[in-house]
Amino acid sequence: TTTGDIALNQAASNLSTLTVTSGRNFSTAASAPISVGSGGMSVTVGGTATTNSTITTSSSGSVTVVSGGALTLNGNVAANGSGDVALKTTGISDVSLLNGATVSSTSGNLQVISGQSILTNTATNTTTELSTSGTLLLDAQKSIGVTANRIDTDAGTVAAVSAGVAAGSDIFINQVNGA
């Protein structure tokens, strides 16, 4: 749809692929886990994207969410196998990993790109927000994490950059395992 919001309020399992495109907003209900196969999941919206449910792929399926507004994860996103996860805001909006949400892949690449900041409300060393044996890219116009709520990572390779468009545009990450 190009004119209406899209809300997934029912569980969806055994899907081979899921593609969502809207000029407006996208959301999932907490009671509606989504399970997608090797075709992966792709969401592109002009407004906000909010996931309140668990999203998983099997057979190395990837997950891509691109949002013109804020992108908020309140549920886990897991791309199993070598599946990649890409989260991006194209506008001046945050990517927020809230309430213990974890983004993971067994060996695929993770990237979080924000037109504003990449944030969590979970205290440092409480939840590993981003986990893969592959690579992790964090790219924000402003801050990545804050002092008390660092982005906890467990990744084979981590690259983080802040464009520093505002005072206090710092990078606060905590690699919980590895170098």
mmCIF file of all heavy atoms in Angstrom, residues 102-146:
data_model
loop_
_atom_site.group_PDB
_atom_site.id
_atom_site.type_symbol
_atom_site.label_atom_id
_atom_site.label_comp_id
_atom_site.label_asym_id
_atom_site.label_seq_id
_atom_site.Cartn_x
_atom_site.Cartn_y
_atom_site.Cartn_z
ATOM 1 N N THR A 102 17.384 -7.962 20.918
ATOM 2 C CA THR A 102 18.658 -8.418 20.373
ATOM 3 C C THR A 102 18.518 -8.623 18.870
ATOM 4 O O THR A 102 17.539 -9.202 18.409
ATOM 5 C CB THR A 102 19.087 -9.749 21.023
ATOM 6 O OG1 THR A 102 19.305 -9.539 22.415
ATOM 7 C CG2 THR A 102 20.355 -10.294 20.409
ATOM 8 N N VAL A 103 19.510 -8.138 18.119
ATOM 9 C CA VAL A 103 19.594 -8.375 16.677
ATOM 10 C C VAL A 103 20.766 -9.317 16.474
ATOM 11 O O VAL A 103 21.884 -9.031 16.917
ATOM 12 C CB VAL A 103 19.813 -7.057 15.912
ATOM 13 C CG1 VAL A 103 19.974 -7.321 14.425
ATOM 14 C CG2 VAL A 103 18.665 -6.089 16.169
ATOM 15 N N SER A 104 20.522 -10.457 15.801
ATOM 16 C CA SER A 104 21.595 -11.442 15.691
ATOM 17 C C SER A 104 21.575 -12.172 14.357
ATOM 18 O O SER A 104 20.560 -12.222 13.668
ATOM 19 C CB SER A 104 21.492 -12.458 16.831
ATOM 20 O OG SER A 104 20.294 -13.203 16.721
ATOM 21 N N SER A 105 22.729 -12.751 14.050
ATOM 22 C CA SER A 105 22.903 -13.672 12.937
ATOM 23 C C SER A 105 23.982 -14.649 13.370
ATOM 24 O O SER A 105 24.902 -14.278 14.108
ATOM 25 C CB SER A 105 23.333 -12.936 11.668
ATOM 26 O OG SER A 105 23.629 -13.871 10.634
ATOM 27 N N THR A 106 23.892 -15.866 12.905
ATOM 28 C CA THR A 106 24.925 -16.833 13.265
ATOM 29 C C THR A 106 26.275 -16.377 12.719
ATOM 30 O O THR A 106 27.237 -16.239 13.465
ATOM 31 C CB THR A 106 24.569 -18.235 12.728
ATOM 32 O OG1 THR A 106 23.262 -18.581 13.165
ATOM 33 C CG2 THR A 106 25.570 -19.264 13.207
ATOM 34 N N SER A 107 26.342 -16.117 11.408
ATOM 35 C CA SER A 107 27.608 -15.713 10.794
ATOM 36 C C SER A 107 27.449 -14.606 9.756
ATOM 37 O O SER A 107 28.420 -14.227 9.112
ATOM 38 C CB SER A 107 28.287 -16.922 10.138
ATOM 39 O OG SER A 107 27.456 -17.448 9.107
ATOM 40 N N GLY A 108 26.250 -14.079 9.591
ATOM 41 C CA GLY A 108 26.015 -13.025 8.608
ATOM 42 C C GLY A 108 26.464 -11.668 9.119
ATOM 43 O O GLY A 108 26.914 -11.519 10.254
ATOM 44 N N ASN A 109 26.325 -10.669 8.263
ATOM 45 C CA ASN A 109 26.713 -9.307 8.601
ATOM 46 C C ASN A 109 25.521 -8.537 9.149
ATOM 47 O O ASN A 109 24.398 -8.700 8.686
ATOM 48 C CB ASN A 109 27.263 -8.599 7.363
ATOM 49 C CG ASN A 109 28.460 -9.326 6.804
ATOM 50 O OD1 ASN A 109 29.352 -9.717 7.551
ATOM 51 N ND2 ASN A 109 28.476 -9.551 5.505
ATOM 52 N N LEU A 110 25.789 -7.678 10.139
ATOM 53 C CA LEU A 110 24.774 -6.793 10.698
ATOM 54 C C LEU A 110 25.166 -5.366 10.370
ATOM 55 O O LEU A 110 26.340 -5.011 10.466
ATOM 56 C CB LEU A 110 24.688 -6.942 12.219
ATOM 57 C CG LEU A 110 24.467 -8.331 12.815
ATOM 58 C CD1 LEU A 110 24.414 -8.243 14.333
ATOM 59 C CD2 LEU A 110 23.218 -8.974 12.261
ATOM 60 N N GLN A 111 24.196 -4.550 9.978
ATOM 61 C CA GLN A 111 24.466 -3.126 9.818
ATOM 62 C C GLN A 111 23.287 -2.335 10.354
ATOM 63 O O GLN A 111 22.136 -2.683 10.138
ATOM 64 C CB GLN A 111 24.774 -2.751 8.381
ATOM 65 C CG GLN A 111 23.614 -2.757 7.430
ATOM 66 C CD GLN A 111 23.999 -2.216 6.048
ATOM 67 O OE1 GLN A 111 25.161 -2.098 5.711
ATOM 68 N NE2 GLN A 111 23.006 -1.885 5.264
ATOM 69 N N VAL A 112 23.627 -1.281 11.107
ATOM 70 C CA VAL A 112 22.630 -0.366 11.645
ATOM 71 C C VAL A 112 23.072 1.025 11.222
ATOM 72 O O VAL A 112 24.132 1.498 11.628
ATOM 73 C CB VAL A 112 22.515 -0.465 13.184
ATOM 74 C CG1 VAL A 112 21.427 0.469 13.696
ATOM 75 C CG2 VAL A 112 22.257 -1.906 13.615
ATOM 76 N N ILE A 113 22.258 1.669 10.379
ATOM 77 C CA ILE A 113 22.580 2.991 9.852
ATOM 78 C C ILE A 113 21.445 3.929 10.241
ATOM 79 O O ILE A 113 20.281 3.659 9.949
ATOM 80 C CB ILE A 113 22.753 2.949 8.321
ATOM 81 C CG1 ILE A 113 23.889 1.989 7.963
ATOM 82 C CG2 ILE A 113 23.013 4.338 7.763
ATOM 83 C CD1 ILE A 113 24.045 1.720 6.484
ATOM 84 N N SER A 114 21.812 5.031 10.903
ATOM 85 C CA SER A 114 20.794 5.939 11.427
ATOM 86 C C SER A 114 21.028 7.368 10.957
ATOM 87 O O SER A 114 22.147 7.871 11.007
ATOM 88 C CB SER A 114 20.804 5.906 12.954
ATOM 89 O OG SER A 114 19.898 6.857 13.469
ATOM 90 N N GLY A 115 19.940 8.020 10.557
ATOM 91 C CA GLY A 115 19.989 9.433 10.210
ATOM 92 C C GLY A 115 20.096 10.314 11.438
ATOM 93 O O GLY A 115 20.235 11.534 11.330
ATOM 94 N N GLN A 116 20.043 9.732 12.606
ATOM 95 C CA GLN A 116 20.161 10.444 13.878
ATOM 96 C C GLN A 116 21.100 9.653 14.791
ATOM 97 O O GLN A 116 22.280 9.653 14.587
ATOM 98 C CB GLN A 116 18.776 10.633 14.504
ATOM 99 C CG GLN A 116 18.696 11.615 15.620
ATOM 100 C CD GLN A 116 18.669 13.071 15.177
ATOM 101 O OE1 GLN A 116 19.054 13.421 14.075
ATOM 102 N NE2 GLN A 116 18.231 13.928 16.058
ATOM 103 N N SER A 117 20.559 8.931 15.781
ATOM 104 C CA SER A 117 21.365 8.170 16.733
ATOM 105 C C SER A 117 20.945 6.703 16.751
ATOM 106 O O SER A 117 19.849 6.356 16.329
ATOM 107 C CB SER A 117 21.212 8.755 18.144
ATOM 108 O OG SER A 117 21.725 10.061 18.202
ATOM 109 N N ILE A 118 21.833 5.861 17.275
ATOM 110 C CA ILE A 118 21.547 4.453 17.532
ATOM 111 C C ILE A 118 21.539 4.310 19.051
ATOM 112 O O ILE A 118 22.550 4.564 19.700
ATOM 113 C CB ILE A 118 22.608 3.534 16.900
ATOM 114 C CG1 ILE A 118 22.660 3.738 15.382
ATOM 115 C CG2 ILE A 118 22.322 2.070 17.253
ATOM 116 C CD1 ILE A 118 23.846 3.086 14.700
ATOM 117 N N LEU A 119 20.381 3.925 19.608
ATOM 118 C CA LEU A 119 20.206 3.982 21.059
ATOM 119 C C LEU A 119 19.600 2.700 21.615
ATOM 120 O O LEU A 119 18.963 1.927 20.897
ATOM 121 C CB LEU A 119 19.285 5.154 21.416
ATOM 122 C CG LEU A 119 19.745 6.539 20.955
ATOM 123 C CD1 LEU A 119 18.640 7.564 21.142
ATOM 124 C CD2 LEU A 119 20.999 6.947 21.704
ATOM 125 N N THR A 120 19.779 2.509 22.918
ATOM 126 C CA THR A 120 19.105 1.464 23.667
ATOM 127 C C THR A 120 18.698 2.040 25.019
ATOM 128 O O THR A 120 19.317 2.983 25.502
ATOM 129 C CB THR A 120 19.996 0.217 23.870
ATOM 130 O OG1 THR A 120 19.224 -0.786 24.544
ATOM 131 C CG2 THR A 120 21.236 0.528 24.679
ATOM 132 N N ASN A 121 17.650 1.475 25.617
ATOM 133 C CA ASN A 121 17.280 1.868 26.977
ATOM 134 C C ASN A 121 17.713 0.810 27.989
ATOM 135 O O ASN A 121 17.407 0.899 29.167
ATOM 136 C CB ASN A 121 15.776 2.135 27.090
ATOM 137 C CG ASN A 121 14.925 0.891 26.878
ATOM 138 O OD1 ASN A 121 15.412 -0.152 26.450
ATOM 139 N ND2 ASN A 121 13.640 1.004 27.159
ATOM 140 N N THR A 122 18.463 -0.181 27.521
ATOM 141 C CA THR A 122 18.938 -1.262 28.367
ATOM 142 C C THR A 122 20.316 -0.909 28.913
ATOM 143 O O THR A 122 21.194 -0.481 28.165
ATOM 144 C CB THR A 122 19.010 -2.575 27.571
ATOM 145 O OG1 THR A 122 17.745 -2.801 26.937
ATOM 146 C CG2 THR A 122 19.340 -3.746 28.469
ATOM 147 N N ALA A 123 20.506 -1.076 30.207
ATOM 148 C CA ALA A 123 21.785 -0.746 30.841
ATOM 149 C C ALA A 123 22.916 -1.584 30.259
ATOM 150 O O ALA A 123 22.713 -2.724 29.836
ATOM 151 C CB ALA A 123 21.697 -0.964 32.353
ATOM 152 N N THR A 124 24.112 -1.018 30.242
ATOM 153 C CA THR A 124 25.306 -1.700 29.755
ATOM 154 C C THR A 124 25.494 -3.019 30.491
ATOM 155 O O THR A 124 25.263 -3.113 31.691
ATOM 156 C CB THR A 124 26.547 -0.799 29.954
ATOM 157 O OG1 THR A 124 26.302 0.442 29.283
ATOM 158 C CG2 THR A 124 27.806 -1.439 29.412
ATOM 159 N N ASN A 125 25.906 -4.047 29.762
ATOM 160 C CA ASN A 125 26.144 -5.403 30.282
ATOM 161 C C ASN A 125 24.880 -6.117 30.738
ATOM 162 O O ASN A 125 24.951 -7.059 31.520
ATOM 163 C CB ASN A 125 27.170 -5.408 31.424
ATOM 164 C CG ASN A 125 28.584 -5.297 30.911
ATOM 165 O OD1 ASN A 125 28.908 -5.819 29.855
ATOM 166 N ND2 ASN A 125 29.420 -4.590 31.642
ATOM 167 N N THR A 126 23.720 -5.689 30.259
ATOM 168 C CA THR A 126 22.471 -6.355 30.589
ATOM 169 C C THR A 126 22.022 -7.265 29.448
ATOM 170 O O THR A 126 21.635 -8.405 29.672
ATOM 171 C CB THR A 126 21.364 -5.331 30.889
ATOM 172 O OG1 THR A 126 21.806 -4.488 31.947
ATOM 173 C CG2 THR A 126 20.066 -5.994 31.278
ATOM 174 N N THR A 127 22.067 -6.759 28.219
ATOM 175 C CA THR A 127 21.639 -7.487 27.028
ATOM 176 C C THR A 127 22.638 -7.223 25.912
ATOM 177 O O THR A 127 23.059 -6.084 25.713
ATOM 178 C CB THR A 127 20.252 -6.989 26.557
ATOM 179 O OG1 THR A 127 19.295 -7.254 27.570
ATOM 180 C CG2 THR A 127 19.816 -7.671 25.274
ATOM 181 N N THR A 128 22.997 -8.255 25.171
ATOM 182 C CA THR A 128 23.824 -8.056 23.985
ATOM 183 C C THR A 128 22.879 -7.670 22.855
ATOM 184 O O THR A 128 22.143 -8.509 22.339
ATOM 185 C CB THR A 128 24.618 -9.333 23.636
ATOM 186 O OG1 THR A 128 25.429 -9.673 24.752
ATOM 187 C CG2 THR A 128 25.487 -9.119 22.406
ATOM 188 N N GLU A 129 22.890 -6.377 22.498
ATOM 189 C CA GLU A 129 21.956 -5.891 21.485
ATOM 190 C C GLU A 129 22.277 -6.398 20.083
ATOM 191 O O GLU A 129 21.369 -6.629 19.284
ATOM 192 C CB GLU A 129 21.925 -4.356 21.465
ATOM 193 C CG GLU A 129 21.112 -3.724 22.569
ATOM 194 C CD GLU A 129 21.878 -3.482 23.849
ATOM 195 O OE1 GLU A 129 23.134 -3.543 23.833
ATOM 196 O OE2 GLU A 129 21.224 -3.248 24.875
ATOM 197 N N LEU A 130 23.562 -6.570 19.762
ATOM 198 C CA LEU A 130 23.972 -6.956 18.405
ATOM 199 C C LEU A 130 24.974 -8.096 18.485
ATOM 200 O O LEU A 130 26.032 -7.959 19.107
ATOM 201 C CB LEU A 130 24.578 -5.754 17.682
ATOM 202 C CG LEU A 130 23.618 -4.565 17.551
ATOM 203 C CD1 LEU A 130 24.377 -3.283 17.286
ATOM 204 C CD2 LEU A 130 22.601 -4.823 16.457
ATOM 205 N N SER A 131 24.654 -9.240 17.841
ATOM 206 C CA SER A 131 25.495 -10.418 17.967
ATOM 207 C C SER A 131 25.627 -11.160 16.637
ATOM 208 O O SER A 131 24.616 -11.503 16.014
ATOM 209 C CB SER A 131 24.894 -11.351 19.022
ATOM 210 O OG SER A 131 25.642 -12.533 19.129
ATOM 211 N N THR A 132 26.874 -11.404 16.211
ATOM 212 C CA THR A 132 27.185 -12.223 15.038
ATOM 213 C C THR A 132 28.660 -12.594 15.074
ATOM 214 O O THR A 132 29.471 -11.851 15.626
ATOM 215 C CB THR A 132 26.871 -11.485 13.715
ATOM 216 O OG1 THR A 132 27.153 -12.364 12.620
ATOM 217 C CG2 THR A 132 27.684 -10.211 13.561
ATOM 218 N N SER A 133 29.003 -13.718 14.466
ATOM 219 C CA SER A 133 30.423 -14.029 14.310
ATOM 220 C C SER A 133 30.974 -13.326 13.071
ATOM 221 O O SER A 133 32.173 -13.323 12.830
ATOM 222 C CB SER A 133 30.650 -15.541 14.212
ATOM 223 O OG SER A 133 30.025 -16.055 13.047
ATOM 224 N N GLY A 134 30.090 -12.699 12.292
ATOM 225 C CA GLY A 134 30.484 -11.932 11.109
ATOM 226 C C GLY A 134 30.843 -10.503 11.466
ATOM 227 O O GLY A 134 31.358 -10.228 12.547
ATOM 228 N N THR A 135 30.535 -9.570 10.575
ATOM 229 C CA THR A 135 30.881 -8.165 10.788
ATOM 230 C C THR A 135 29.670 -7.360 11.241
ATOM 231 O O THR A 135 28.531 -7.690 10.937
ATOM 232 C CB THR A 135 31.459 -7.519 9.511
ATOM 233 O OG1 THR A 135 30.464 -7.536 8.486
ATOM 234 C CG2 THR A 135 32.696 -8.247 9.032
ATOM 235 N N LEU A 136 29.972 -6.281 11.947
ATOM 236 C CA LEU A 136 28.958 -5.350 12.437
ATOM 237 C C LEU A 136 29.371 -3.941 12.056
ATOM 238 O O LEU A 136 30.484 -3.514 12.344
ATOM 239 C CB LEU A 136 28.828 -5.450 13.962
ATOM 240 C CG LEU A 136 28.045 -4.341 14.673
ATOM 241 C CD1 LEU A 136 26.588 -4.315 14.203
ATOM 242 C CD2 LEU A 136 28.131 -4.514 16.179
ATOM 243 N N LEU A 137 28.468 -3.212 11.387
ATOM 244 C CA LEU A 137 28.678 -1.808 11.060
ATOM 245 C C LEU A 137 27.639 -0.977 11.786
ATOM 246 O O LEU A 137 26.437 -1.223 11.670
ATOM 247 C CB LEU A 137 28.549 -1.558 9.549
ATOM 248 C CG LEU A 137 28.477 -0.090 9.120
ATOM 249 C CD1 LEU A 137 29.793 0.636 9.434
ATOM 250 C CD2 LEU A 137 28.118 0.043 7.660
ATOM 251 N N LEU A 138 28.100 0.018 12.555
ATOM 252 C CA LEU A 138 27.228 1.002 13.202
ATOM 253 C C LEU A 138 27.584 2.356 12.608
ATOM 254 O O LEU A 138 28.736 2.787 12.687
ATOM 255 C CB LEU A 138 27.453 1.018 14.715
ATOM 256 C CG LEU A 138 27.178 -0.300 15.450
ATOM 257 C CD1 LEU A 138 27.634 -0.204 16.892
ATOM 258 C CD2 LEU A 138 25.714 -0.647 15.364
ATOM 259 N N ASP A 139 26.608 3.052 12.022
ATOM 260 C CA ASP A 139 26.853 4.319 11.342
ATOM 261 C C ASP A 139 25.722 5.280 11.713
ATOM 262 O O ASP A 139 24.568 5.043 11.360
ATOM 263 C CB ASP A 139 26.895 4.093 9.832
ATOM 264 C CG ASP A 139 27.247 5.327 9.030
ATOM 265 O OD1 ASP A 139 27.224 6.445 9.582
ATOM 266 O OD2 ASP A 139 27.524 5.177 7.829
ATOM 267 N N ALA A 140 26.064 6.353 12.434
ATOM 268 C CA ALA A 140 25.053 7.311 12.892
ATOM 269 C C ALA A 140 25.497 8.738 12.599
ATOM 270 O O ALA A 140 26.697 9.029 12.589
ATOM 271 C CB ALA A 140 24.801 7.145 14.388
ATOM 272 N N GLN A 141 24.544 9.605 12.380
ATOM 273 C CA GLN A 141 24.835 11.016 12.206
ATOM 274 C C GLN A 141 25.172 11.668 13.539
ATOM 275 O O GLN A 141 25.940 12.612 13.595
ATOM 276 C CB GLN A 141 23.656 11.741 11.543
ATOM 277 C CG GLN A 141 23.434 11.318 10.113
ATOM 278 C CD GLN A 141 24.628 11.622 9.241
ATOM 279 O OE1 GLN A 141 25.066 12.757 9.140
ATOM 280 N NE2 GLN A 141 25.187 10.591 8.627
ATOM 281 N N LYS A 142 24.565 11.158 14.610
ATOM 282 C CA LYS A 142 24.841 11.668 15.956
ATOM 283 C C LYS A 142 25.486 10.559 16.779
ATOM 284 O O LYS A 142 26.473 9.985 16.370
ATOM 285 C CB LYS A 142 23.569 12.197 16.609
ATOM 286 C CG LYS A 142 23.105 13.540 16.091
ATOM 287 C CD LYS A 142 21.962 14.060 16.938
ATOM 288 C CE LYS A 142 21.620 15.489 16.599
ATOM 289 N NZ LYS A 142 20.545 15.981 17.464
ATOM 290 N N SER A 143 24.899 10.219 17.922
ATOM 291 C CA SER A 143 25.509 9.297 18.878
ATOM 292 C C SER A 143 25.187 7.840 18.605
ATOM 293 O O SER A 143 24.150 7.508 18.041
ATOM 294 C CB SER A 143 25.045 9.629 20.298
ATOM 295 O OG SER A 143 25.511 10.895 20.673
ATOM 296 N N ILE A 144 26.094 6.997 19.064
ATOM 297 C CA ILE A 144 25.873 5.558 19.127
ATOM 298 C C ILE A 144 25.957 5.200 20.607
ATOM 299 O O ILE A 144 27.028 5.262 21.214
ATOM 300 C CB ILE A 144 26.925 4.791 18.312
ATOM 301 C CG1 ILE A 144 26.852 5.185 16.821
ATOM 302 C CG2 ILE A 144 26.745 3.283 18.493
ATOM 303 C CD1 ILE A 144 27.962 4.628 15.966
ATOM 304 N N GLY A 145 24.802 4.891 21.204
ATOM 305 C CA GLY A 145 24.744 4.618 22.636
ATOM 306 C C GLY A 145 24.974 5.869 23.458
ATOM 307 O O GLY A 145 25.213 6.958 22.929
ATOM 308 N N VAL A 146 24.861 5.704 24.774
ATOM 309 C CA VAL A 146 25.177 6.761 25.743
ATOM 310 C C VAL A 146 25.940 6.092 26.885
ATOM 311 O O VAL A 146 25.992 4.864 26.979
ATOM 312 C CB VAL A 146 23.916 7.490 26.274
ATOM 313 C CG1 VAL A 146 23.189 8.226 25.143
ATOM 314 C CG2 VAL A 146 22.970 6.530 26.976
#
